[in-house]
Amino acid sequence: MNSRTNSDLKKQIEDLQTRLRETEGNLDAIRSGKADAIVVQTEDGVKVFTIQGAETAYRIMVDNMNEGALTVDPEGVILYANTRFCSMMGVPTTYLPGKHIQEIVGEEFREEFDIFLRKTVSGGTVHQDFVFVRRDQSSFPVYLSSAPLEIAVRHDACIIVSDLTERKLHQEKLVKLNNELEFKVKTRTHELEEQKTALEQSQEQLRKLTMSLEDQVIRRTAQVRDLAKALTLAEQKERQRLSRILHEDLQQVLFSIKARFELLNDVLSDRTGEINEDIRELDRLTTKALDTSKMLAIEFNPPILRNEGLDAALKWLAHHMEQRYGLKVDICILEGFGVIRDEERVLLVQIIRELLFNVVKHAGTKEASVTVTRKEDRLDVIVEDRGTGFNVEDVKKITQDGTRMGLFSIEQRLRLFGGYTHIQSKQGEGTRIILSLPFDRSGQRLGVE
Amino acid sequence: MTKRILIVEDNEDMQLLYRRLFREETGFEIEQTDTGEMALEKIPFLKPDLMIIDISLPGMTGLELTKIVRERHPGIKILIVTGHEVSRYYDEAIRSGADDLISKDVGLEIAAECRKLLNGAAD
């Protein structure tokens, strides 16, 4: 018999079958690309053999990527540098492996880079800006992204390098453009502000000019009003002067003449009737002259215009018109008033008297009325008759005629005092004339005492 | 008995007229002056029985003079003369202290008016 029994042989066969199956499995894995490397126990220990077909794709990818890539051992020795990084550094691909990385780190960054590397090999992922220096001593800014790389028992660092030169240039250009734009904006803003200031000054000047013109207009209007008032008072004073001359001078002479005629008549009373008749006629003529001068004195300066209020003046006027011309005037004052100013009272009485003369001359009636009424902001005087009436437009064209005022003139005089007239008349239907005066701007109320 | 009349009138023509009017009258002694102020000075030594005062005088008016004379010399009769309508000033003249107000137009009748007033005083 053999030393090996059948069972031993069977066991050996099973063992070999197991190893064969395991080997076939490994071969399958290698063929299908599922295995990148194989670990082999050798006399020198465990060794790792990578399978060339598996790493090629990664090598091509890393070598051709647009960013720089390098691996560094914990001491800082460059183990690998891709083509892009070598191109950044301006060196051939064989130059860098084996060099210490601090040789290419900018001097002021070296301490920081040590910390960066230690963090990475300790297992951290770090991102930071640095400056690398080329062989020709030119430097360029970089952005490093690192990650630990553990292969078997080694703890290396894998570093991706992004060249920031172009980005920095773009950033600087952007900053420069931004600064230029800010400067242009500031300059333009300044110009606009200057223009705005100039415009505001022009507007202010215009506003002042407008106010000045408005002031001038107001002043001129006030001056015209004052002149109108002064004119009215001056006219009244002149009439008073003429009245005084008539009364003080002419009438005294006429009184003396009349009295002398009476004396003469008395002395010659025993003479013939003819002489007496002449003296009587002279006496009559003198009386007539005296009456005329009295009438003129009153016409020029009605006594009521001196001191009394408007109501007294109107009542006197009504009495005078009836006595002198047979015109019956109904005076109606609807409400009580405050004080009316002299020049306005004089003006109103003159105008009302003139309108009543017109009734006597043209209206063909013996009755008229004068109504005084107060509105909120003005005084209204209405002179009315039921006479023949007239065409308003035709009569307005009649201008001042001697001592008589036409309707146009009345309207103008009243306007100078800030007032107005409203004339209503129709042929055969009578006439209604409203004289309206505003309240005085100084705050005095117009009215009747 | 002669009555003394002081006439206060500033118009020369009227002054001449008054002298002429009273020339033929008996029983009157006439003095004249131009202004109310001078009249007041003359009253104490003239001692008039009656004053004829023109209502329109320069300076002090006839009515103002009337008031003062009435206060100081109540016994003097005062006749105010006016060239205006009598009705216009009558009430005011009486209130001022005048005994009457007449028109200058009265002419020859002025002496009769004076007698009427003075006789009223005598009564």
Side-chain angles (χ1 to χ4, degrees), chain A residues 31-243:
Chain A
R31 269 201 292 275
S32 68
K34 289 180 185 172
D36 296 324
I38 53 176
V39 178
V40 178
Q41 183 69 44
T42 65
E43 286 176 356
D44 298 322
V46 174
K47 286 201 173 172
V48 177
F49 295 90
T50 55
I51 301 170
Q52 188 172 357
E55 72 179 26
T56 302
Y58 299 119
R59 183 177 288 280
I60 292 169
M61 182 188 79
V62 171
D63 219 37
N64 291 302
M65 62 197 269
N66 285 330
E67 303 286 12
L70 56 154
T71 56
V72 177
D73 73 7
E75 281 71 40
V77 175
I78 299 173
L79 301 173
Y80 165 78
N82 73 346
T83 307
R84 175 74 183 116
F85 185 68
C86 294
S87 172
M88 286 182 196
M89 292 301 295
V91 295
T93 53
T94 54
Y95 176 81
L96 285 172
K99 293 278 188 306
H100 198 282
I101 193 162
Q102 290 287 21
E103 288 178 36
I104 65 171
V105 174
E107 195 174 333
E108 65 269 30
F109 293 96
R110 284 176 188 167
E111 211 172 306
E112 272 183 67
F113 189 85
D114 276 341
I115 298 168
F116 173 83
L117 186 59
R118 272 201 299 278
K119 278 184 188 171
T120 306
V121 300
S122 300
T125 305
V126 191
H127 308 275
Q128 197 166 335
D129 287 354
F130 286 95
V131 172
F132 280 177
V133 181
R134 299 188 184 93
R135 269 200 304 192
D136 61 1
Q137 299 305 305
S138 65
S139 61
F140 62 101
V142 293
Y143 178 71
L144 305 183
S145 297
S146 70
L149 185 64
E150 289 181 24
I151 299 178
V153 298
R154 290 206 345 240
H155 296 273
D156 298 334
C158 171
I159 303 175
I160 303 295
V161 182
S162 298
D163 186 352
L164 297 181
T165 305
E166 213 169 299
R167 194 187 305 178
K168 289 280 186 199
L169 276 174
H170 285 140
Q171 275 181 349
E172 279 168 18
K173 210 184 258 186
L174 195 63
V175 166
K176 190 179 168 198
L177 280 174
N178 192 52
N179 289 342
E180 282 175 8
L181 186 65
E182 273 187 10
F183 177 75
K184 281 184 182 171
V185 166
K186 267 187 197 164
T187 307
R188 187 70 186 130
T189 303
H190 183 66
E191 283 174 9
L192 286 172
E193 279 175 357
E194 281 183 350
Q195 285 175 5
K196 183 184 166 203
T197 304
L199 182 64
E200 282 172 355
Q201 283 172 352
S202 296
Q203 282 178 337
E204 180 62 18
Q205 282 175 351
L206 186 64
R207 188 186 68 82
K208 280 182 182 169
L209 186 62
T210 304
M211 278 175 62
S212 170
L213 284 172
E214 280 178 359
D215 280 345
Q216 283 183 31
V217 166
I218 289 169
R219 268 202 304 276
R220 284 294 169 84
T221 306
Q223 279 175 354
V224 167
R225 291 239 170 105
D226 288 344
L227 279 171
K229 289 170 187 173
L231 178 67
T232 304
L233 286 177
E235 193 181 288
Q236 184 59 24
K237 279 196 175 103
E238 182 61 15
R239 285 169 174 254
Q240 284 172 355
R241 190 182 72 86
L242 291 171
S243 174

